[in-house]
Amino acid sequence: MLVKTFGAAVTGIDAITITIEVNVTRGIRFFLVGLPDNAVKESQQRIESVFKETGHKWPGKRIVVNMAPADTRKEGSAYDLPIAVGVLAADEQITSSRISDFMMMGELSLDGSIHPIKGALPIALQAKADGFKGFIVPKANAREAAVVKGLNVYGVESFREVVDFLTGRKEIEPVEVDTDAEFLKEQARSEFDFADVKGQDSVKRALEIAAAGGHNVIMIGPPGSGKSMLAKRLPTILPPLTLDEALETTKIHSVAGKLNGHISLLTRRPFRSPHHSVSDVALVGGGSYPQPGEISLAHNGVLFLDELPEFKRSVLEVMRQPLEDRTISISRARFTIDYPASFMMVASMNPCPCGYYNHPEKACVCSPGVVQKYLSRISGPLLDRIDIHIEVVPVPFDKLAAQKPAETSNTVRERVIKARAVQSERFKK
Amino acid sequence: MSTRLLTKYATPDESGQAILKNAMEKLDLSARAYDRILKVSRTIADLEECENIEAHHVAEAVQYRSLDRSGWAG
């Protein structure tokens, strides 16, 4: 008998529906066709074991599994679930009229439990666009997928549960996430505030301008002058994410598998601060199956590069093009993937190797040549793309000890929101 | 913001132009830096809710390019 089940393949931050056709006829051997990679091919061993555990039988017949469209590469182990269901139904061990109503994805463990998958959100969006009645996902991904309105998302923990659900022996309640409430609840909270930073009014002013216009910033100053502290507080003065922005950023994190089970939607602007030993692939994304890098994870948020001159030169140079284009294209021989990368770059550095060049009190021990050399580690083209350069001077003692309250993030944020409103009004015309 | 939009919305007044010209010559700025200074001045003007870009907006934007100054770090 021929049975069709449905899964999805994720390319970039979008998914395409994959039809999994299973045909069980007389004969022997198992065939899996349609450009599967090794992890997909290995599913046979996992499924056989699961069948044994759940009391089903691996059919001793000729099994042909075709994954269509056949020219798209299928990767990863998340096709275990639709293939297993397809084999059972094609062998007529279960009968269900509902199989084609659902999209399902999940990696099977040998004992029949189901492991989380990557990219649940883009797949759920695709399932809704294609008009599926529901989406069966591993429980750990259920809240992430349930953000999509108008789609029933069923979180499952074991293969037995899926079979019982499809054959109608057991009902599962769809997971509900109130997207709007979730969004509002999380947004206001933040443990950081601009008021924590004493003095540094000129730097705060510059950061306010940067936040209002989305400009890139570099801060130069001696150690301990508050550069990192200020940078960490930058997201608190940026305008809150809109729902569309939040969905897009969440999609990227979903594809990268970086969402924890209890988070359904990223509600705050991401703040990524990769260590300076980061490789260029980790920063911009890549690999043979390209994954988003730090710059895409920082989409709609802030990418903070602490100690900029310590980064490898090649790493900094690969960022030049995405800084202009706000998106990164990763090309491989067979395909090209675009990841959005609209981020604000905030960098910090010391003025010289010892850190005290231009310091009001301490003496710098570096020779002039060394200072020049340190600065020249950052290439002209990169510096050209940074709009705002700020010198951060250490705060003198009397200001540190003063109890004068500084402006809070919310006051600054209101001004930023107002300025951004002026800007969007202008572009509407 | 494209170049066309930039000329439409981010053209400074006469004294602003003068400051910009001076800065371009003294600091030896690139064409991209020129565009970027205009964008920053536009943002500063937006924060003050000014329709036009005035001299002090340009001046503030120019001083944020301190690393381009050839004098920095000898």
Side-chain angles (χ1 to χ4, degrees):
Chain A
M1 190 176 133
L2 178 78
V3 168
K4 284 183 187 177
T5 57
F6 296 92
V10 179
T11 53
I13 56 164
D14 294 305
I16 49 171
T17 304
I18 301 287
T19 312
I20 295 149
E21 301 165 323
V22 186
N23 201 358
V24 174
T25 52
R26 276 178 51 176
I28 51 163
R29 286 186 71 187
F30 174 80
F31 298 94
L32 183 53
V33 295
L35 226 54
D37 80 346
N38 278 332
V40 182
K41 281 185 188 150
E42 286 161 0
S43 63
Q44 188 195 349
Q45 278 75 32
R46 284 189 293 268
I47 295 170
E48 274 193 56
S49 164
V50 170
F51 281 3
K52 220 168 247 159
E53 285 294 313
T54 53
H56 296 100
K57 209 174 103 260
W58 181 259
K61 298 174 187 165
R62 181 190 182 87
I63 307 168
V64 182
V65 179
N66 177 39
M67 304 171 91
D71 61 345
T72 311
R73 274 199 82 88
K74 290 87 186 174
E75 50 175 280
S77 45
Y79 298 100
D80 289 359
L81 183 58
I83 294 175
V85 170
V87 170
L88 272 193
D91 194 37
E92 296 174 40
Q93 294 186 43
I94 57 171
T95 44
S96 166
S97 53
R98 304 166 74 182
I99 289 178
S100 305
D101 295 344
F102 297 100
M103 186 175 273
M104 53 186 107
M105 288 297 271
E107 175 187 334
L108 292 178
S109 164
L110 295 188
D111 64 358
S113 56
I114 297 181
H115 291 308
I117 59 167
K118 281 182 181 177
L121 177 59
I123 297 174
L125 286 168
Q126 181 62 30
K128 193 198 163 194
D130 280 351
F132 283 98
K133 270 193 193 155
F135 178 28
I136 301 175
V137 277
K139 200 151 213 163
N141 300 107
R143 288 184 63 76
E144 180 186 333
V147 165
V148 180
K149 284 181 193 165
L151 178 78
N152 289 332
V153 173
Y154 302 94
V156 289
E157 273 174 322
S158 68
F159 183 64
R160 197 184 299 269
E161 220 180 324
V162 180
V163 172
D164 287 349
F165 174 63
L166 289 173
T167 50
R169 272 199 294 257
K170 188 187 160 197
E171 276 305 310
I172 304 177
E173 281 295 306
V175 178
E176 297 276 354
V177 170
D178 188 345
T179 315
D180 295 326
E182 183 102 345
F183 193 58
L184 286 175
K185 187 184 77 190
E186 276 294 315
Q187 225 164 36
R189 284 194 312 156
S190 175
E191 61 232 89
F192 297 131
D193 199 296
F194 248 41
D196 303 341
V197 187
K198 298 209 168 126
Q200 302 294 23
D201 294 320
S202 62
V203 185
K204 284 182 185 170
R205 159 80 178 164
L207 287 180
E208 182 182 330
I209 295 167
H215 301 292
N216 301 320
V217 182
I218 185 165
M219 293 184 278
I220 309 177
S225 53
K227 301 181 298 290
S228 315
M229 201 176 169
L230 283 158
K232 285 206 181 95
R233 281 154 184 80
L234 184 61
T236 63
I237 61 165
L238 286 168
L241 278 175
T242 63
L243 192 56
D244 283 342
E245 283 175 333
L247 266 178
E248 200 173 27
T249 307
T250 312
K251 248 160 93 174
I252 301 172
H253 283 247
S254 171
V255 170
K258 289 239 171 359
L259 290 175
N260 301 328
H262 56 278
I263 299 176
S264 54
L265 189 64
L266 289 177
T267 48
R268 274 183 261 158
R269 291 187 182 270
F271 180 86
R272 305 290 302 183
S273 58
H275 186 251
H276 56 68
S277 60
V278 67
S279 72
D280 31 1
V281 168
L283 192 71
V284 297
S288 52
Y289 300 123
Q291 288 285 305
E294 289 290 336
I295 60 167
S296 297
L297 293 173
H299 180 61
N300 286 325
V302 176
L303 180 74
F304 178 45
L305 303 176
D306 207 357
E307 309 296 349
L308 192 66
E310 306 295 336
F311 282 79
K312 271 179 288 181
R313 181 128 191 176
S314 64
V315 170
L316 295 179
E317 300 314 303
V318 289
M319 260 186 353
R320 274 157 48 177
Q321 186 244 341
L323 266 174
E324 288 287 291
D325 300 346
R326 308 260 148 220
T327 154
I328 172 99
S329 300
I330 301 169
S331 298
R332 294 291 174 264
R334 299 182 59 96
F335 52 86
T336 301
I337 287 177
D338 291 317
Y339 284 118
S342 174
F343 59 96
M344 236 179 104
M345 186 179 102
V346 181
S348 82
M349 65 181 282
N350 295 136
C352 66
C354 86
Y356 294 105
Y357 184 82
N358 256 358
H359 194 281
E361 285 144 27
K362 290 190 185 143
C364 170
V365 295
C366 307
S367 62
V370 175
V371 179
Q372 257 322 332
K373 204 170 158 204
Y374 191 68
L375 281 177
S376 67
R377 283 202 208 163
I378 300 157
S379 71
L382 182 68
L383 209 53
D384 220 21
R385 287 168 171 79
I386 301 178
D387 308 332
I388 298 183
H389 314 159
I390 333 165
E391 282 171 58
V392 184
V393 219
V395 185
F397 174 76
D398 43 335
K399 270 204 177 163
L400 264 185
Q403 292 297 327
K404 204 183 91 193
E407 250 184 335
T408 62
S409 290
N410 280 342
T411 348
V412 184
R413 184 188 243 177
E414 263 159 42
R415 288 200 297 268
V416 171
I417 292 173
K418 219 180 257 173
R420 289 232 176 162
V422 174
Q423 290 159 6
S424 49
E425 188 59 35
R426 181 181 305 136
F427 290 122
K428 231 186 266 167
K429 281 175 206 163
Chain B
M1 205 168 12
S2 69
T3 319
R4 202 166 50 83
L5 287 171
L6 204 63
T7 23
K8 190 168 171 199
Y9 293 116
T11 310
D13 62 6
E14 230 165 80
S15 51
Q17 288 280 21
I19 291 179
L20 195 54
K21 181 162 180 269
N22 202 354
M24 288 286 291
E25 284 165 2
K26 288 256 168 73
L27 304 180
D28 206 11
L29 297 177
S30 69
R32 176 169 19 231
Y34 170 83
D35 273 9
R36 297 221 163 216
I37 287 177
L38 283 182
K39 284 183 196 171
V40 176
S41 344
R42 181 67 262 173
T43 310
I44 298 171
D46 286 340
L47 269 173
E48 289 176 14
E49 296 176 59
C50 284
E51 185 78 22
N52 298 312
I53 300 180
E54 289 160 24
H56 68 277
H57 299 141
V58 180
E60 189 174 353
V62 168
Q63 61 114 355
Y64 286 131
R65 296 212 67 95
S66 56
L67 278 183
D68 286 350
R69 271 186 253 145
S70 39
W72 216 87

